[in-house]
Amino acid sequence: MPGPTADLHLHTRFSDGTDTPARVVDLAHAAGLSAIAITDHDNVEALAVAEPIARRQGIELIPGIEMSASADDTEVHLLGFLFDPAHPGLTRHLAEQQARRVARVHEMVRRLAHVGARIPAEEVLQLAGEGTVGRPHVARVLLKHGYVSTTAEAFSRYIGPHNPGFVPGSPLPPSQIIRVIREAGGVPVLAHPVYLEQDELIAAFVQDGLAGLEVYHSSHTPDLVRRYEQIAEQLKLLKTGGSDYHGETKEGLPVGASRVPYALVEALKTWKAATAR
Ligand code: AMP
Ligand code: ZN
Ligand code: FE
Ligand code: FE
């Protein structure tokens, strides 16, 4: 791709990635990216750590986050960009969500025990350290205790949607998450629509204030990219994209694996400047 590019979907150790923010910035620099968004799950702590490092390397760090929501029985991930990470409403939501995620681990551990997979909740929480705890941490502990032979198997047998150990990441509706992002001055974007599997929900989210669609993503085939480009055009949505880099959690998927022209970052800024919440 000629011209400056951006990867707008990256995870660090502050959620379920395995790299420090500094390492992610280094990898972005090596990949020739002009701008990045670190989008940890329900967590903004990597941003302050990465900011001075990115600045030194001449990389623009765009405030980012990936937040969980639920629509009926469907897990929905929303990205937020260009918000104020210190906004009180956002801070309050994230504190509540961190507590929900810890309670969720205990609930998952209880459900897993019912089907014979006994793992200590403490080990899962310890693995997440100071970052947001999530299903990949549960998967790694299931692996360590020999209940599965790969983390992928953990997601297909134990903790994926419709599996016995599954608990949604958040009970809150997308409308509420969209509001939190917008009130913090951010741009709300639907992440990896391929996992939603229900395109008709996208129009409903637009009614709730959704502004963009993650058209470009490492899990989107060229056919899917064309489909989501059309949907974005029909619904007048901004387009974003990124790799969804997780370090060793998702092997073989480097920083910059999916990237967008910098012009799409400028479009996000234009939308933000033109939109009074
Ligand atoms: P959580 O937010 O705790 O529900 O965890 C979501 C994360 O789990 C995603 O960002 C992925 O990193 C990971 N994940 C989800 N589904 C799978 C899968 N089938 N195989 C491997 N990792 C997955
Ligand atoms: Zn993740
Ligand atoms: Fe996601
Ligand atoms: Fe992600």
Side-chain angles (χ1 to χ4, degrees):
M1 195 179 285
T5 56
D7 183 337
L8 301 177
H9 194 153
L10 301 163
H11 293 273
T12 76
R13 272 193 205 170
F14 283 97
S15 64
D16 52 6
T18 52
D19 288 351
T20 60
R23 168 111 177 116
V24 169
V25 172
D26 282 347
L27 291 170
H29 183 73
L33 291 158
S34 300
I36 57 169
I38 291 177
T39 54
D40 277 314
H41 297 278
D42 297 322
N43 194 309
V44 294
E45 288 173 56
L47 305 185
V49 180
E51 222 289 314
I53 304 164
R55 192 163 352 112
R56 269 203 303 280
Q57 303 216 16
I59 290 178
E60 180 180 352
L61 180 73
I62 290 146
I65 192 165
E66 180 171 17
M67 292 161 92
S68 295
S70 286
D72 303 323
D73 264 352
T74 308
E75 176 93 11
V76 179
H77 287 180
L78 292 153
L79 297 164
F81 297 109
L82 297 167
F83 52 86
D84 169 13
H87 183 268
L90 176 68
T91 304
R92 197 177 328 117
H93 169 78
L94 295 181
E96 289 166 6
Q97 183 56 16
Q98 291 298 325
R100 266 188 217 108
R101 278 179 169 274
V102 171
R104 174 200 194 202
V105 167
H106 290 285
E107 177 61 23
M108 289 179 84
V109 163
R110 263 193 299 279
R111 293 186 187 197
L112 287 169
H114 278 298
V115 292
R118 291 174 196 285
I119 56 169
E122 276 319 307
E123 252 180 68
V124 177
L125 298 172
Q126 218 163 42
L127 193 58
E130 56 180 335
T132 301
V133 68
R135 284 183 290 154
H137 303 109
V138 177
R140 277 156 67 187
V141 175
L142 283 167
L143 177 67
K144 187 185 153 211
H145 286 260
Y147 292 110
V148 291
S149 46
T150 61
T151 52
E153 189 189 343
F155 278 93
S156 63
R157 278 184 59 196
Y158 286 112
I159 58 173
H162 318 300
N163 288 155
F166 180 73
V167 179
S170 164
L172 302 180
S175 57
Q176 196 165 332
I177 304 303
I178 289 168
R179 193 175 330 124
V180 169
I181 295 169
R182 289 184 71 141
E183 285 179 357
V187 188
V189 173
L190 178 66
H192 44 59
V194 60
Y195 297 133
L196 192 65
E197 290 174 342
Q198 300 171 65
D199 288 352
E200 58 288 358
L201 282 178
I202 301 172
F205 300 158
V206 174
Q207 292 297 312
D208 295 330
L210 185 76
L213 189 65
E214 191 180 37
V215 169
Y216 312 96
H217 184 273
S218 47
S219 298
H220 290 174
T221 60
D223 277 356
L224 283 174
V225 165
R226 273 191 291 276
R227 179 157 117 211
Y228 296 131
E229 278 176 339
Q230 277 174 3
I231 292 176
E233 233 148 82
Q234 274 164 12
L235 298 175
K236 298 191 171 28
L237 289 167
L238 297 159
K239 294 178 286 184
T240 74
S243 58
D244 212 350
Y245 177 78
H246 277 75
E248 288 165 31
T249 310
K250 284 192 183 178
E251 276 180 69
L253 180 71
V255 170
S258 179
R259 57 177 79 196
V260 294
Y262 186 77
L264 295 190
V265 174
E266 281 167 345
L268 293 176
K269 290 180 182 174
T270 303
W271 183 92
K272 176 182 158 77
T275 305
R277 301 212 165 156

